[in-house]
Amino acid sequence: MTAPALATAALDETAVALPVQEPARVARDSRPLRLITCGSVDDGKSTLIGRLLWDTKAVKEDQAASLQRDSKGKQNDLGLPDFALLLDGLQAEREQGITIDVAYRYFSTDKRSFIVADTPGHEQYTRNMATGASTADLAVLLVDARVGLLEQTRRHATIATLMGIRQFVLAVNKIDLTNYDRSRFEQISHEFKELALSLGVRQVTAIPVSALKGENVVYDGRAAMPWYEGPTLIEVLELATTRSAQTVGFRLPVQRVSRPGESFRGYQGTVAGGSVKPGDSVVILPSGMVANVTKIVTFDLVRNAAVAGDAVTLVFDRQVDVSRGDMIVAIDSQPMTGLAFDAQLVALQAEGIQPGKRYWLKSGSRRQRVQVQPINQLDLQSGKWNHADELPMNAIGKVHLAFDEQAIFDAYEQNRTTGAFILIDPDTNNTVAGGMITAKRATLGGIHAEDSRVILSLPADLADQLMATEIFSSRREDAEVRRVTAARAIEIIDTIDE
Amino acid sequence: MPHTHPETELHNPQSTKPPLDPHLKALENEAIHIFREVAAEFERPVMLYSIGKDSSVLLHLARKAFYPGRVPFPLLHVDTGWKFREMIAFRDEMVEKYDLDLVAHTNPRGASENVTPFTHGSALYTDIMKTEALRQALDAGQYDAAFGGARRDEEASRAKERIYSFRTPDHRWDPRNQRPELWNVYNGMIRKGESVRAFPLSNWTEVDIWRYIQAEEIPIVPLYFAKKRPIVERDGMMILAEDPRLELLPGETKREEVIRFRTLGCFPLTGAIRSHATTLDDIISELETATVSERQGRAIDRDQAGSMEKKKREGYF
Ligand SMILES: Nc1nc2c(ncn2[C@@H]2O[C@H](COP(=O)(O)OP(=O)(O)OP(=O)(O)O)[C@@H](O)[C@H]2O)c(=O)[nH]1
Ligand SMILES: [Mg+2]
């Protein structure tokens, strides 16, 4: 299928015409699919989304006219407009021809509707990519067919995976500039699938595309690439799944206590997992008090149940002390509470993450003080976790969190809301990290105190090899390592034997 | 515990409305969450109320978010003095009907220096009567958070804006340095004098707004519906000609046309469209086949490339 042409008075003659406007009948039986584009600088992310908007008729005539006007002088060899300008809406972006911050756009086909976040490729703006990734169901990772995978491609793929994205489309872009080279496409796809596997992602669809020319985006590119028989990008997006429901029990972080009069007292918040119905017994954390739900109040209905995503007001059968930041949870499936947790995070600001510094941590509606101890940093080239005492900007790291007061979390894998947090620097008030809880930590002197330990004395090269292994580096923080001379090692071991 | 309940909603016997479709429901839930979060985290929130369709939806969502309580913050209307007559009447009716606190502010320079859209041109007029007026009103009320009805699908620079949009003490937006905003965890920490603009409708499109107005039976200003009205053509726009302050220029004539408005602002700067849409169904089907975007009817957005971003950096909504 090729796009039917329609000449529009507002457009100049050399320009491609807008596709015919057909009524966009939006499927509304599900929530929209949220996707991001990511990948390295200039790989064509914004052009791809611009093309997607253009070919799905999400661009109106007046917007097309401004696009033509703004593309003047910047037109490429093909005489096509600069589709990236549909996304790069900031003056600074237009001047520099790069994306700085994430743009959110909305479009639909007759099968479903989409929210797309076009993220910047530039390393300096990784924080804005992370912003887009945190809520996405699917990532379209772009690679320039001439260049292949770069460190930034790996960084983005890793951040997307950490944030829970399990569906990837690999768009091998600018395929037109390789003479539609099939072997190049296959080589890059293969390389990426290996990377994806090492990240634990199995769902990858690789597509050769020309974002600029619109091949294999909405319309197929068979004319130029008869060798490719797979789906177009839009076909993959139409079939993708939205992130499934959370797998743990009922969770409601309390945002507000509503007390409009003496007779009413309700707890307002958005259900962050599971479901609840009148008559259910719930626990309020961190206090541990128990109550029964008598009513689920909303503006126009009194409900007989509320499920994840619903913004509701709960009423209890008894007077209990509940305040903002508390969490109301299922009695038979409670989250972890404690003073120490393990987490992974992405450092988002120039100051990085400093060891021992006290930050604000916000998760759901709860904000509390936390001390952050960096443990490991991911080496993007090797995929290995190396020991780290602090995390520089854009680093992906593993950390220990130590709280003054009880914290309440689920593992991020289990619940994307109650397992997620941001760190706020109390000096600047800026958001400096996005983090995901991996596990609760036994506090110092806890269960590990009684465990037996083994002291090994090894040649330095063997020790280095051991420490580079996955199993070792994943528990690096549990090990004590000292480098000494061979003579000193014998001395020490001898004293143990005595 | 099951994740979906077969009968999630028990209908209020008084309500005849069918339940919202999942798409609108998700948007509504997100907006209510934002309303509650801001109301809980900030000391002096305010809601900017421009009386248009987006404001009508915003107000409806605020009422839902805090039900059974009252809306716990005032509404601020920046009145340029050049709004459509029917808008002001509608505003006062809403305030009365829903027991709202309204703060209306007009920049005194409008009267003292006789600033009008005709004498000062749309750009300078907007600067003084909207941007400067908004800053005056926000300073006077010492508001630390202001809700707005902006949507990301309206314009390319708005598509870049966060849901919590940080502003300096002089109300500036720095698009190059926005705070990261991950998941739905919002960072509301500010110093004294700084503020946040919060946009609960960020992820709504124009069609979503209309579908929601229809599904929820939300009252809107009648100017959105087609009717025979007096107009005059100026700068390629059809302007409503009912206000005595509108003086006809040489060559201009008043005539009647069946028109409606797709967006509402100051009447001398807002173009009408020819339309026979007299019901919400008509409006929605008109929209689905529309070939131009809604902002086309607004003079201020056409002034210069990047004009919206420039205005926002200077403190316009
Ligand atoms: N020939 C050809 N050029 C392309 C294609 N896709 C993008 N380009 C060009 O590549 C350049 C960069 O495209 P952008 O879309 O701005 O790249 P980006 O990935 O969004 O860049 P950042 O957001 O700054 O990281 C532009 O000049 C595009 O016209 C393609 O498929 N073929
Ligand atoms: Mg870009």
Side-chain angles (χ1 to χ4, degrees):
Chain A
M1 175 163 84
T2 41
L6 170 79
T8 314
L11 305 179
D12 81 38
E13 273 112 8
T14 60
V16 279
L18 269 179
V20 169
Q21 297 288 336
E22 290 153 7
R25 267 166 280 100
V26 187
R28 290 176 169 266
D29 47 4
S30 62
R31 72 168 178 84
L33 183 82
R34 302 188 72 128
L35 64 132
I36 54 164
T37 53
C38 55
S40 194
V41 191
D42 269 357
D43 285 351
K45 298 176 290 297
S46 304
T47 307
L48 180 72
I49 297 307
R51 181 46 103 162
L52 208 49
L53 295 174
W54 186 274
D55 286 348
T56 55
K57 305 155 185 84
V59 180
K60 302 290 182 188
E61 276 172 22
D62 52 318
Q63 295 163 333
S66 352
L67 175 63
Q68 297 294 350
R69 197 180 58 227
D70 298 344
S71 295
K72 283 271 157 57
K74 295 188 210 164
Q75 229 139 36
N76 33 59
D77 313 339
L78 299 164
L80 292 166
D82 184 353
F83 292 108
L85 292 177
L86 289 171
L87 281 301
D88 292 337
L90 300 176
Q91 288 293 294
E93 295 178 324
R94 288 157 169 265
E95 281 155 25
Q96 298 170 50
I98 59 163
T99 304
I100 292 173
D101 212 332
V102 51
Y104 294 91
R105 297 298 298 256
Y106 310 83
F107 68 98
S108 45
T109 65
D110 52 7
K111 298 214 175 56
R112 86 183 318 170
S113 61
F114 302 90
I115 300 180
V116 55
D118 176 43
T119 75
H122 207 288
E123 187 181 345
Q124 187 187 344
Y125 304 118
T126 301
R127 59 175 180 271
N128 300 332
M129 179 272 168
T131 290
S134 65
T135 50
D137 301 302
L138 176 148
V140 179
L141 192 84
L142 273 87
V143 174
D144 184 329
R146 300 166 302 176
V147 181
L149 301 191
L150 296 169
E151 175 169 318
Q152 188 65 348
T153 325
R154 292 173 192 277
R155 177 176 284 110
H156 279 184
T158 309
I159 293 174
T161 321
L162 279 182
M163 295 200 157
I165 300 175
R166 292 290 175 271
Q167 305 173 87
F168 279 83
V169 174
L170 175 75
V172 180
N173 190 32
K174 308 197 186 183
I175 196 81
D176 52 306
L177 300 179
T178 67
N179 263 323
Y180 301 96
D181 184 345
R182 178 180 191 168
S183 64
R184 185 80 191 123
F185 166 70
E186 279 167 358
Q187 181 196 341
I188 293 172
S189 315
H190 178 74
E191 223 180 298
F192 180 72
K193 280 179 183 160
E194 300 229 303
L195 169 63
L197 270 183
S198 76
L199 294 170
V201 175
R202 264 169 222 95
Q203 217 175 321
V204 178
T205 312
I207 308 176
V209 302
S210 170
L212 188 59
K213 299 174 79 173
E215 290 162 334
N216 288 335
V217 182
V218 171
Y219 300 103
D220 72 55
R222 210 155 287 152
M225 290 166 271
W227 48 265
Y228 176 73
E229 286 169 348
T232 61
L233 176 60
I234 198 77
E235 285 166 353
V236 177
L237 298 183
E238 283 177 340
L239 291 175
T241 49
T242 49
R243 204 174 287 241
S244 57
Q246 316 283 15
T247 55
V248 290
F250 174 65
R251 305 282 184 264
L252 184 121
V254 177
Q255 289 183 281
R256 258 183 113 243
V257 179
S258 168
R259 257 187 318 188
E262 283 304 308
S263 59
F264 187 90
R265 191 188 178 94
Y267 307 104
Q268 304 191 312
T270 306
V271 179
S275 65
V276 70
K277 54 186 191 313
D280 282 357
S281 295
V282 292
V283 179
I284 296 108
L285 295 176
S287 73
M289 282 183 301
V290 174
N292 298 312
V293 175
T294 53
K295 255 196 281 185
I296 302 169
V297 176
T298 65
F299 183 77
D300 29 20
L301 327 150
V302 171
R303 296 174 149 228
N304 63 7
V307 298
D310 289 343
V312 295
T313 303
L314 297 187
V315 178
F316 292 158
D317 63 341
R318 65 195 79 169
Q319 284 275 347
V320 276
D321 187 6
V322 183
S323 47
R324 173 174 166 81
D326 290 354
M327 206 190 292
I328 302 171
V329 307
I331 204 160
D332 56 355
S333 163
Q334 298 189 23
M336 305 176 278
T337 54
L339 295 173
F341 285 84
D342 289 337
Q344 298 187 326
L345 57 76
V346 185
L348 303 173
Q349 303 291 352
E351 317 85 83
I353 295 297
Q354 303 301 324
K357 178 165 173 153
R358 287 161 61 76
Y359 294 92
W360 284 110
L361 179 145
K362 192 176 177 198
S363 173
S365 57
R366 191 171 176 83
R367 199 182 74 190
Q368 57 191 129
R369 286 294 193 148
V370 68
Q371 205 164 351
V372 183
Q373 189 59 53
I375 305 299
N376 291 323
Q377 180 182 343
L378 183 67
D379 175 12
L380 290 162
Q381 281 305 325
S382 65
K384 294 213 163 70
W385 292 94
N386 297 330
H387 175 74
D389 291 321
E390 58 184 277
L391 297 171
M393 169 145 112
N394 301 331
I396 297 165
K398 292 187 178 177
V399 299
H400 289 170
L401 304 175
F403 296 91
D404 302 343
E405 290 171 3
Q406 291 288 315
I408 312 159
F409 293 111
D410 286 295
Y412 187 73
E413 293 231 310
Q414 252 131 49
N415 189 313
R416 231 179 156 183
T417 308
T418 53
F421 63 88
I422 59 170
L423 294 180
I424 300 167
D425 185 332
D427 302 329
T428 61
N429 284 340
N430 206 346
T431 306
V432 295
M436 291 126 302
I437 296 293
T438 45
K440 180 177 164 177
R441 245 185 105 61
T443 31
L444 293 177
I447 52 168
H448 290 310
E450 303 298 307
D451 288 0
S452 60
R453 296 186 70 97
V454 175
I455 295 178
L456 290 171
S457 171
L458 307 168
D461 63 328
L462 178 57
D464 287 341
Q465 279 179 38
L466 267 179
M467 286 192 287
T469 59
E470 177 73 40
I471 175 106
F472 188 93
S473 59
S474 72
R475 294 190 58 189
R476 174 64 185 78
E477 64 271 25
D478 293 338
E480 291 278 339
V481 180
R482 297 281 186 286
R483 286 175 193 273
V484 293
T485 60
R488 177 87 179 113
I490 291 167
E491 243 174 73
I492 295 167
I493 299 227
D494 282 351
T495 57
I496 297 171
D497 291 341
E498 277 161 13
Chain B
M1 214 175 286
H3 294 128
T4 46
H5 200 273
E7 282 169 67
T8 309
E9 301 190 345
L10 180 72
H11 267 268
N12 183 336
Q14 281 108 296
S15 170
T16 52
K17 290 184 288 182
L20 286 174
D21 67 54
H23 178 94
L24 289 178
K25 189 78 205 159
L27 290 171
E28 178 187 82
N29 281 328
E30 179 182 57
I32 290 177
H33 183 84
I34 296 162
F35 265 117
R36 290 172 171 173
E37 200 61 13
V38 173
E41 280 199 306
F42 291 85
E43 275 166 32
R44 292 181 65 80
V46 67
M47 185 181 121
L48 297 194
Y49 181 64
S50 73
I51 322 174
K53 62 183 191 304
D54 302 309
S55 282
S56 293
V57 168
L58 202 60
L59 175 58
H60 184 74
L61 289 163
R63 293 176 55 231
K64 283 195 145 184
F66 302 106
Y67 178 86
R70 272 179 102 222
V71 175
F73 38 75
L75 271 55
L76 172 63
H77 178 224
V78 174
D79 189 353
T80 57
W82 295 90
K83 298 290 167 189
F84 293 87
R85 190 175 37 77
E86 281 176 78
M87 289 172 75
I88 303 298
F90 180 85
R91 177 194 77 184
D92 296 341
E93 195 187 313
M94 291 299 112
V95 167
E96 175 75 34
K97 187 167 166 192
Y98 297 135
D99 181 27
L100 304 164
D101 300 324
L102 177 80
V103 178
H105 174 75
T106 305
N107 190 340
R109 282 177 70 191
S112 66
E113 297 171 31
N114 193 33
V115 181
T116 76
F118 308 117
T119 50
H120 287 65
S122 70
L124 185 57
Y125 161 81
T126 304
D127 255 9
I128 299 171
M129 297 309 288
K130 290 173 91 171
T131 310
E132 189 180 288
L134 176 63
R135 283 199 302 249
Q136 289 168 346
L138 291 175
D139 288 342
Q142 294 183 310
Y143 302 115
D144 54 359
F147 294 101
R151 291 176 281 111
R152 285 168 174 160
D153 88 325
E154 283 177 78
E155 198 267 343
S157 71
R158 279 195 167 153
K160 299 267 164 181
E161 195 162 7
R162 301 282 189 256
I163 287 174
Y164 270 36
S165 186
F166 178 83
R167 301 301 161 101
T168 59
D170 54 355
H171 305 288
R172 283 169 196 278
W173 180 51
D174 181 0
R176 301 202 53 167
N177 254 318
Q178 299 194 84
R179 288 178 177 175
E181 189 165 85
L182 295 96
W183 302 285
N184 61 351
V185 190
Y186 303 107
N187 176 356
M189 295 194 63
I190 54 169
R191 293 201 185 88
K192 206 169 159 47
E194 296 169 342
S195 63
V196 156
R197 307 277 166 97
F199 299 113
L201 305 181
S202 288
N203 289 320
W204 296 52
T205 65
E206 191 185 7
V207 179
D208 295 331
I209 292 287
W210 284 112
R211 285 185 188 281
Y212 189 71
I213 287 171
Q214 184 175 47
E216 293 283 296
E217 300 160 9
I218 300 171
I220 51 168
V221 182
L223 290 162
Y224 285 111
F225 297 105
K227 206 178 114 179
K228 192 179 260 187
R229 296 187 170 96
I231 59 117
V232 59
E233 219 154 309
R234 184 176 293 179
D235 300 330
M237 289 194 307
M238 287 186 288
I239 298 174
L240 190 70
E242 59 166 21
D243 191 301
R245 291 174 298 175
L246 178 74
E247 287 168 24
L248 293 191
L249 302 174
E252 285 181 349
T253 50
K254 213 191 229 188
R255 64 170 199 273
E256 301 243 300
E257 286 254 10
V258 179
I259 53 145
R260 66 177 204 90
F261 292 86
R262 209 167 151 189
T263 72
L264 293 178
C266 299
F267 77 84
L269 301 176
T270 310
I273 56 170
R274 271 190 196 89
S275 163
H276 289 277
T278 54
T279 64
L280 289 168
D281 272 330
D282 294 346
I283 290 178
I284 291 166
S285 61
E286 186 181 283
L287 207 62
E288 284 176 336
T289 50
T291 57
V292 295
S293 77
E294 66 186 302
R295 303 203 75 82
Q296 231 229 345
R298 291 213 184 173
I300 74 160
D301 295 340
R302 297 189 306 184
D303 279 350
Q304 65 185 106
S307 64
M308 177 62 76
E309 178 184 346
K310 190 167 160 287
K311 289 196 182 70
K312 288 176 77 71
R313 294 164 80 130
E314 290 162 359
Y316 176 66
F317 220 77

